[in-house]
Amino acid sequence: MAEHPNVSVVRRFYQAFIARDTARLYQLAGEKMGFHIAGRSQFSGLFTGRDQILKVFHDTGVATDRSLHIEPHAVAGDDQHVVGLHHISASRAGKAPLDQNGCLVCHVDGAVITDAWLLWEDLRAADAFWG
């Protein structure tokens, strides 16, 4: 059975993030995409539009001295939703390392992601790490 086209979009989004391919991320993010990051840290909240999303990706990379690593485990979906399960790890000076599972829930329309929600296995630990 062939992979649903929406699953392919999210899989390519993960690959672009891992490769730090901002041009590909820009292509896969809808112009007014909403990126919701769970928690109460400086990197939590709603980021709207490609430029804000790329900025938060850049800023998290800087904050972790580019140690941020995501390993996708599974991506599944249909016409309405795509869910990605992944492991994330990173380090920051003066902080306990981030090492946990996460979930990315996406809406895809016309081969671009229009909304995404990043959820943490341990929200308190994520908030402590991101500050």
Side-chain angles (χ1 to χ4, degrees):
M1 183 178 200
E3 183 171 82
H4 193 285
N6 289 347
V7 171
S8 297
V9 170
V10 174
R11 197 177 298 282
R12 288 193 313 271
F13 191 79
Y14 269 117
Q15 292 166 349
F17 183 88
I18 292 165
R20 294 178 174 88
D21 184 346
T22 56
R24 176 62 58 96
L25 286 168
Y26 197 86
Q27 291 172 341
L28 294 168
E31 184 178 345
K32 296 179 183 176
M33 177 182 168
F35 195 81
H36 310 257
I37 301 176
R40 296 176 184 242
S41 76
Q42 63 179 325
F43 295 113
S44 299
L46 171 61
F47 301 89
T48 305
R50 294 172 176 143
D51 292 336
Q52 278 192 10
I53 293 164
L54 289 177
K55 182 176 180 348
V56 76
F57 289 172
H58 174 266
D59 292 349
T60 57
V62 169
T64 62
D65 197 26
R66 294 187 173 255
S67 68
L68 183 66
H69 178 74
I70 292 181
E71 180 184 340
H73 291 278
V75 182
D78 57 23
D79 292 339
Q80 302 266 332
H81 304 98
V82 178
V83 176
L85 305 176
H86 57 264
H87 186 82
I88 184 168
S89 60
S91 59
R92 292 183 75 185
K95 304 278 185 174
L98 182 66
D99 186 24
Q100 61 176 282
N101 294 312
C103 176
L104 184 66
V105 179
C106 301
H107 288 169
V108 179
D109 185 23
V112 296
I113 300 172
T114 58
D115 281 288
W117 292 262
L118 177 61
L119 308 167
W120 303 101
E121 175 182 33
D122 183 344
L123 186 56
R124 287 187 179 142
D127 280 345
F129 178 80
W130 293 111

